[in-house]
Amino acid sequence: MQDNIRIYFTEKVKFEQIIKKNHEFNCTINSNDIKNDRLEHSIYPIVGQIGTLTYVITQNGAYIENSLHKYHNSNTIGRDINYNDFSYCEITQALNNLQKQIPEYDFINTKITSLEFGFNLKLERSVQEIIKNNILLWNFKPHYFFQDNKGFLMKKFKMSNSTFKIYDKGAQNNLDYPLLRIEIKYNHKQLRNKDLGIITFLDLYDPKKLQSLFLNFLERFDQLIIVDNRFTSNLSKTEKEYLGNQLEYTYWNRNFGSDSTKNRHKKKFREFIRDNDLMTTFHYLKQKITDKYHELFKDCEGTPINTSD
């Protein structure tokens, strides 16, 4: 679920003192001079590792970033990977372990400024075909497309204060099974929103806030335009042409005269793909996401977590 993260330390001086005392690091001058406070010029940035996580100390701030999932796997199974599952129990173990590695620092004095939340989904269908041919728009807005010569494929959708990323994690990691990664990268403005309320490091433990992330994720997923292949459906030629036209971003980027007119067109289009049974891929992926969430959202005894008051 949770993956890449950036943790900002609000007590920068204290964090820096702890790092100087307890950790190896790289900087622009000799680290022994830093530890002995023999400083007459800029030493920043100070950069180092805590497991697979990277910490960076600048003149004005300090933060830790990278994949929390890889950090956990490196500590527990000795592998720097993040294509397996990462349950709520494992998330709390990773958070506990990080606090233990910096015991002198009070993690209440932190801010979460970036967080990825999503799922690794094993599919029975071609991941690349779904990304290329079925996942087309988000809220009638276009995607950024990336494909390398090794078969890796990604689509990104920019949203206000966040980014949807959908990519072939199987190809990325040379796996022998189809694995789709679908995630949202939130920035601090979205995380601080009252609907999520993820402000400090300690909020990452809160199962209610994790559930809020999931509900927000589903809400945004529902805005994806995921349409079955119109050429394999029973649509007429006119209907296929209509659908092809509506799936072009340029159609939605034109001047409709008013927002109400544009919204009527959007409603008509959504009704068209629903009434013509073109949403089987959408429902297939949404069910995969929901099933995976319930599989992972359990305590360390394997009991589903109850977030009701």
Side-chain angles (χ1 to χ4, degrees):
M1 290 187 287
Q2 297 176 14
D3 195 12
N4 279 297
I5 189 170
R6 178 177 283 194
I7 308 160
Y8 180 82
F9 292 83
T10 57
E11 292 188 341
K12 179 256 183 182
V13 173
K14 183 172 183 179
F15 179 78
E16 182 174 344
Q17 290 171 342
I18 294 169
I19 292 298
K20 288 178 182 179
K21 178 182 177 183
N22 297 333
H23 293 273
E24 295 296 326
F25 51 85
N26 295 315
C27 57
T28 57
I29 64 173
N30 189 286
S31 61
N32 287 325
D33 288 342
I34 295 177
K35 292 180 180 181
N36 294 311
D37 290 324
R38 295 194 295 267
L39 307 176
E40 295 182 356
H41 55 86
S42 176
I43 62 170
Y44 301 105
I46 300 172
V47 180
Q49 299 293 128
I50 298 179
T52 59
L53 299 175
T54 298
Y55 61 79
V56 179
I57 304 170
T58 68
Q59 185 81 36
N60 300 314
Y63 58 88
I64 284 177
E65 64 180 0
N66 284 343
S67 169
L68 191 66
H69 191 170
K70 288 184 177 181
Y71 171 74
H72 175 74
N73 279 333
S74 179
N75 288 333
T76 55
I77 62 175
R79 300 181 67 194
D80 185 10
I81 61 171
N82 64 348
Y83 55 78
N84 60 345
D85 288 333
F86 193 33
S87 68
Y88 172 75
C89 171
E90 292 167 324
I91 289 169
T92 60
Q93 290 172 347
L95 299 175
N96 288 340
N97 195 47
L98 181 55
Q99 288 198 79
K100 289 176 183 177
Q101 291 196 272
I102 317 174
E104 304 96 326
Y105 193 88
D106 187 347
F107 275 71
I108 192 65
N109 298 313
T110 55
K111 294 178 183 178
I112 303 301
T113 60
S114 178
L115 179 65
E116 288 181 351
F117 179 87
F119 301 92
N120 298 330
L121 305 174
K122 289 184 179 181
L123 304 184
E124 296 77 29
R125 296 174 52 183
S126 167
V127 169
Q128 298 221 350
E129 286 186 11
I130 287 176
I131 295 174
K132 283 183 178 180
N133 302 327
N134 301 120
I135 302 174
L136 302 172
L137 301 168
W138 180 84
N139 196 25
F140 299 92
K141 297 176 182 178
H143 58 260
Y144 299 86
F145 183 77
F146 174 80
Q147 183 174 16
D148 66 17
N149 57 11
K150 296 181 180 179
F152 175 70
L153 192 68
M154 174 188 287
K155 282 183 178 177
K156 294 173 67 173
F157 298 88
K158 295 287 186 179
M159 304 176 286
S160 176
N161 299 321
S162 53
T163 304
F164 231 129
K165 293 167 62 179
I166 304 168
Y167 58 96
D168 188 344
K169 203 164 188 71
Q172 183 187 51
N173 292 279
N174 297 313
L175 303 178
D176 60 359
Y177 53 88
L179 188 67
L180 176 73
R181 176 69 181 179
I182 180 166
E183 67 190 20
I184 296 178
K185 181 179 180 180
Y186 296 92
N187 73 10
H188 70 284
K189 289 183 179 180
Q190 183 68 32
L191 292 169
R192 292 174 67 88
N193 185 285
K194 64 180 180 179
D195 294 333
L196 298 180
I198 297 175
I199 300 171
T200 78
F201 178 89
L202 301 183
D203 289 323
L204 300 173
Y205 285 93
D206 190 336
K208 289 185 177 180
K209 293 183 178 181
L210 185 60
Q211 184 181 56
S212 294
L213 269 176
F214 173 65
L215 295 176
N216 181 272
F217 181 94
L218 283 186
E219 181 180 324
R220 290 166 180 263
F221 178 85
D222 286 343
Q223 293 178 281
L224 283 168
I225 307 296
I226 304 175
V227 182
D228 296 343
N229 190 337
R230 66 184 186 272
F231 298 110
T232 60
S233 65
N234 294 319
L235 298 178
S236 68
K237 180 180 178 181
T238 301
E239 288 172 327
K240 290 177 181 178
E241 290 174 351
Y242 166 80
L243 182 57
N245 187 42
Q246 302 277 303
L247 291 174
E248 292 291 336
Y249 168 66
T250 52
Y251 178 86
W252 301 104
N253 198 38
R254 67 189 178 92
N255 185 2
F256 283 83
S258 68
D259 288 343
S260 60
T261 300
K262 187 173 185 178
N263 288 335
R264 284 197 299 272
H265 279 258
K266 289 180 178 180
K267 182 180 179 182
K268 180 182 177 181
F269 171 74
R270 288 193 178 276
E271 289 173 348
F272 177 85
I273 61 175
R274 182 195 65 203
D275 295 344
N276 286 279
D277 197 27
L278 294 169
M279 297 183 65
T280 56
T281 303
F282 172 87
H283 293 304
Y284 169 74
L285 294 177
K286 188 170 183 178
Q287 190 63 55
K288 286 283 187 181
I289 290 167
T290 303
D291 290 347
K292 181 59 67 174
Y293 171 74
H294 290 301
E295 177 187 339
L296 300 178
F297 195 49
K298 296 177 181 179
D299 63 24
C300 293
E301 281 70 48
T303 304
I305 295 172
N306 185 359
T307 57
S308 61
D309 294 326

